[in-house]
């Protein structure tokens, strides 16, 4: 397992796109600060940059550099904190310095502190968050097994981190941290 995690980190550092297990489905990930890697991921997904992306991390400290929390109340922050780690994605105001290739057309960024042990280990070893989007082509269902990822995406991505998805049946719930508005049910 450790060798697989080290290989995944090497691929991320070199600007590659990896597939990895999350709480419900396999995700596609790359280094959020590498514009070329993000563009490659968007091409694989056939996803418009305007939609913005999610960052997945092992800790709050990993996503904080991308977020502007200066005007958030303790209650708003508490909403997110009590749900983490877990399959909950929260949309926060983004810092002006956060790249548009992450935020898309928005002034916000979606972030999740994952409870999946492999995601936790990978982000800790990598030392930062990853971009996270479901591992599938736009018209197909998200992959839930390593074999499904191989069949659908092996020729398009740089590495598949072997793993097993968690027990969640749906991708993460997405809410706005300021208004608590539900964007996607989990």
């Amino acid at each position: 397992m450790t060798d697989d995690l080290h290989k995944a980190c090497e691929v991320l550092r070199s600007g590659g796109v990896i597939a990895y297990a999350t709480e419900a489905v396999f995700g596609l990930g790359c280094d959020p600060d590498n514009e070329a890697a993000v563009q490659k991921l968007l091409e694989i997904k056939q996803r418009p940059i305007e939609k913005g992306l999610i960052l997945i991390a092992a800790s709050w400290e990993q996503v904080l550099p991308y977020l502007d929390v200066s005007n958030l109340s303790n209650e708003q922050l508490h909403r997110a904190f009590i749900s983490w780690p877990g399959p909950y994605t929260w949309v926060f105001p983004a810092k002006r310095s956060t790249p548009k290739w992450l935020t898309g057309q928005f002034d916000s960024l979606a972030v999740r502190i994952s409870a999946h042990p492999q995601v936790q280990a990978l982000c800790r070893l990598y030392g930062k968050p990853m971009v996270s989007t479901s591992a599938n082509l736009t018209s197909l269902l998200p992959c839930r097994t390593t074999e499904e990822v191989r069949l659908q995406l092996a020729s398009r991505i740089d590495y598949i981190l072997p793993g097993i998805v968690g027990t969640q049946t749906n991708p993460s719930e997405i809410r706005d941290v300021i208004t608590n508005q539900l964007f996607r049910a989990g």
Side-chain angles (χ1 to χ4, degrees):
M1 174 58 110
T2 304
D3 289 344
D4 293 333
L5 289 173
H6 282 283
K7 172 68 175 166
C9 287
E10 287 174 27
V11 173
L12 291 169
R13 279 188 204 96
S14 69
V17 174
I18 67 167
Y20 57 94
T22 71
E23 289 93 337
V25 298
F26 266 77
L28 291 181
C30 67
D31 186 319
D33 300 313
N34 183 328
E35 184 177 8
V38 173
Q39 291 293 345
K40 181 177 179 178
L41 182 143
L42 291 170
E43 286 173 26
I44 291 166
K45 281 284 292 188
Q46 301 162 344
R47 179 184 174 94
I49 195 169
E50 294 78 21
K51 284 181 125 180
L53 292 162
I54 295 173
L55 293 188
I56 193 170
S59 68
W60 170 245
E61 291 73 24
Q62 288 187 332
V63 295
L64 191 54
Y66 302 87
L67 307 177
D68 179 1
V69 297
S70 59
N71 293 318
L72 296 182
S73 70
N74 286 338
E75 179 185 329
Q76 290 164 331
L77 289 170
H78 185 70
R79 265 185 208 140
F81 293 165
I82 62 170
S83 72
W84 287 336
Y88 301 95
T89 299
W90 291 90
V91 178
F92 280 83
K95 284 187 176 170
R96 288 179 188 235
S97 58
T98 300
K100 282 295 180 190
W101 64 77
L102 297 177
T103 61
Q105 65 182 334
F106 306 102
D107 293 325
S108 57
L109 183 64
V111 297
R112 179 166 86 250
I113 310 305
S114 178
H116 193 282
Q118 192 177 47
V119 171
Q120 285 269 328
L122 179 59
C123 289
R124 278 197 191 102
L125 185 62
Y126 193 50
K128 63 194 293 188
M130 293 183 297
V131 168
S132 183
T133 186
S134 60
N136 63 294
L137 300 176
T138 300
S139 59
L140 301 175
L141 290 173
C143 298
R144 293 187 183 266
T145 66
T146 305
E147 186 56 28
E148 287 177 8
V149 175
R150 274 195 199 98
L151 292 171
Q152 199 178 130
L153 296 164
S155 65
R156 298 169 187 253
I157 63 176
D158 300 297
Y159 185 66
I160 301 169
L161 179 60
I164 298 170
V165 298
T167 58
Q168 292 293 122
T169 54
N170 295 317
S172 67
E173 178 175 296
I174 302 176
R175 287 187 177 269
D176 185 293
V177 77
I178 295 171
T179 65
N180 205 29
Q181 177 185 352
L182 180 66
F183 295 127
R184 179 177 79 189

